[in-house]
Amino acid sequence: MSHLDIKRTLIYGLAAAIPIFYFRYRQKKVQGTIPALVESKGPISGPFSSLYFLWHATDVLAKGYHMDRSGIFQGTQMDYTITPEVVMNPYHGVAIRASLTRNLGRRFPEVRDEIVHAFDDVLALEDNEWKLVQVLPAILQVIARTSNRLFVGLPLCREQEYLDLNINFATDVNIRGQIIHLLPHFLKPILGPILSPRRSALRRMLKFLGPTLDARLEKENQYGPDWPERPARYQRPDLVAPRLRGQLSGDPFFSRGRVADGHKTLTSALYDLTAYPSHIVPMREEAERVVAQEGWTKAALGNMHKVDSFLRESQRLTGLSPVSMGRKVVAKDGFTFSDGMTLPHGATVMVPSGAMQLDEDIYPQAEVFDGFRFSRMREALPRDDAAGEGEGPSLFNRHMVSTAPDHLVFGHGRHACPGRFFAATELKAMLAHILINYDIKAETEGVRPPDTILVLYKTPSRTGKIWIRKRARGSNDKNGA
């Protein structure tokens, strides 16, 4: 048996055995005033309750939500899977908020250019013939290329080995982080480094970014932080600053993960679009009209209200997890809510966002997919005279990037996902590009590939396919295809 096979066997063995052990280890700590949905008393029922939750987490959470609407997660274990410095010094969040988001308009032509080339290369369509495409792997490649066009630029954003490192590292962090999370605390320092993909990812990443790091260090040692010809702040996302020697292994994760798992979001949207094809023509007409008037710009995307609404509705119904906004109790005495319920020190709590987004009291006909649900809300708003002679809608808080207590796809409050503006820009541009340039239809008419649900994770079908072909090039594309 090879070293790789032994390591894989160890990982799978731990994944299977640790949840039961960990359940018993944690059960004694999290008791008291917290109501239990799945009984876990006794040496036998406890492990079985844990296993039941593994396969029925969504149902259990929905039951809890409807029992008490007043209402667990350190999954990535970043101290081990990425690096502790990312937690102590979250430079990526500052960079995204302060620089990337502010410069999206100026950098959008690069995003648009990579979208065009990526779809052409990945889909490899011939003439106007229909092709059956496995959606998620194709969209993953497009998302990775487009995101890295901003992060590292040409030609590295099209280097397949570099893209594979980005993609695989982000996946490994989630999977192995969950396994490390289940370990008892005293075992994490021992097994965490063994299970972590960090070291191997860092070695491979230095192959691509090491020369750039060395050159930057040499320049800054020679001239200081303002050396001649230094790239302007966030002319390119500055992920190669000197301090990143210790943080570099986090870059592949954040360069993909910070766009809110965009490939899954767009894959779900395409499944929804082919399952409910009546949405195609209205959105296509909107996208063609806006592009004809304004060209391919970030500002133009803001006027594609139906496209925005469709993506938000797809997120609402097919979000990536039944829970969100994980928080850990750090106070030594625990935390007591206003109703008297107490969470002990070290406990984690999450919001049942999936159940909330299917609540009929919040969203009429919540189980029904209605891609223009939010664009109709926008149209129903009174006009805002302050915007100038009745032009422009009054304040609308149901954009794709808007967070709210009843829509937690991107979280909410001060810790809402900072990359959601980039994600929305990228995804809306891609969906509009597909609508204008391609015809699409379901592999089997009226059938949406089923999502995969495991515990607290939900992903669109990895094997799902749709039919796609090139459309005849229109004359209304102001800036080219």
Side-chain angles (χ1 to χ4, degrees), residues 8 39 44 50 61 81 109 180 190 217 227 251 279 358 388 391 400 414 475:
R8 186 180 291 115
E39 290 300 325
I44 297 177
S50 182
L61 290 165
T81 56
I180 296 171
I190 301 171
L217 285 168
W227 47 273
D251 295 342
H279 294 83
L358 291 174
E391 296 180 0
M400 182 184 176
R414 63 179 296 188
S475 59

Side-chain angles (χ1 to χ4, degrees), residues 441-462:
K441 62 183 181 180
E443 180 180 16
T444 303
E445 184 177 356
V447 177
R448 186 189 191 280
D451 293 331
T452 299
I453 303 175
L454 180 60
V455 198
L456 301 181
Y457 287 96
K458 180 178 175 183
T459 63
S461 172
R462 297 182 178 276

Side-chain angles (χ1 to χ4, degrees), residues 279 304-317 357 362-364 366 368-381 396-402 404 406-409:
H279 294 83
M304 296 184 188
H305 301 164
K306 288 183 171 65
V307 172
D308 186 284
S309 174
F310 186 91
L311 285 166
R312 184 178 174 93
E313 176 73 351
S314 182
Q315 287 180 311
R316 181 187 72 83
L317 272 175
Q357 289 163 195
I362 300 174
Y363 297 102
V368 176
F369 185 93
D370 180 357
F372 301 146
R373 180 187 300 269
F374 300 105
S375 59
R376 286 199 307 274
M377 290 182 185
R378 183 197 296 254
E379 292 166 2
L381 288 172
F396 182 66
N397 62 353
R398 289 294 185 270
H399 301 283
M400 182 184 176
V401 296
S402 302
D406 56 13
H407 191 91
L408 300 171
V409 174

Side-chain angles (χ1 to χ4, degrees), residues 205-430:
M205 184 57 63
L206 285 173
K207 169 185 173 182
F208 298 103
L209 297 184
T212 304
L213 273 171
D214 292 337
R216 290 286 298 273
L217 285 168
E218 183 178 350
K219 287 283 189 180
E220 296 204 4
N221 287 336
Q222 184 175 357
Y223 298 107
D226 296 321
W227 47 273
E229 300 180 359
R230 184 184 190 277
R233 178 170 174 79
Y234 236 69
Q235 178 179 329
R236 174 90 46 218
D238 194 5
L239 300 181
V240 291
R243 69 175 180 272
L244 297 190
R245 271 290 187 190
Q247 297 178 340
L248 189 59
S249 61
D251 295 342
F253 176 70
F254 288 112
S255 67
R256 191 179 76 90
R258 290 299 89 190
V259 294
D261 283 319
H263 71 289
K264 297 178 183 177
T265 300
L266 187 56
T267 296
S268 287
L270 291 177
Y271 290 158
D272 291 330
L273 192 57
T274 55
Y276 309 101
S278 61
H279 294 83
I280 292 177
V281 171
M283 284 197 292
R284 176 178 288 157
E285 291 176 347
E286 176 187 72
E288 289 179 333
R289 172 179 52 78
V290 171
V291 170
Q293 295 174 351
E294 305 179 42
W296 283 102
T297 66
K298 179 179 179 296
L301 296 177
N303 290 321
M304 296 184 188
H305 301 164
K306 288 183 171 65
V307 172
D308 186 284
S309 174
F310 186 91
L311 285 166
R312 184 178 174 93
E313 176 73 351
S314 182
Q315 287 180 311
R316 181 187 72 83
L317 272 175
T318 57
L320 302 181
S321 174
V323 293
S324 61
M325 298 181 64
R327 299 291 185 265
K328 180 179 179 179
V329 177
V330 297
K332 296 299 182 182
D333 297 331
F335 180 84
T336 301
F337 291 93
S338 58
D339 63 356
M341 185 175 71
T342 299
L343 298 177
H345 169 75
T348 51
V349 62
M350 300 192 81
V351 177
S353 52
M356 293 172 64
Q357 289 163 195
L358 291 174
D359 190 333
E360 289 283 340
D361 291 340
I362 300 174
Y363 297 102
Q365 294 184 296
E367 298 281 351
V368 176
F369 185 93
D370 180 357
F372 301 146
R373 180 187 300 269
F374 300 105
S375 59
R376 286 199 307 274
M377 290 182 185
R378 183 197 296 254
E379 292 166 2
L381 288 172
R383 309 307 287 178
D384 185 2
D385 291 334
E389 301 299 327
E391 296 180 0
S394 58
L395 183 64
F396 182 66
N397 62 353
R398 289 294 185 270
H399 301 283
M400 182 184 176
V401 296
S402 302
T403 67
D406 56 13
H407 191 91
L408 300 171
V409 174
F410 291 116
H412 190 49
R414 63 179 296 188
H415 295 297
C417 175
R420 67 188 185 278
F421 301 98
F422 175 35
T425 297
E426 193 175 50
L427 296 174
K428 288 163 68 174
M430 289 179 181

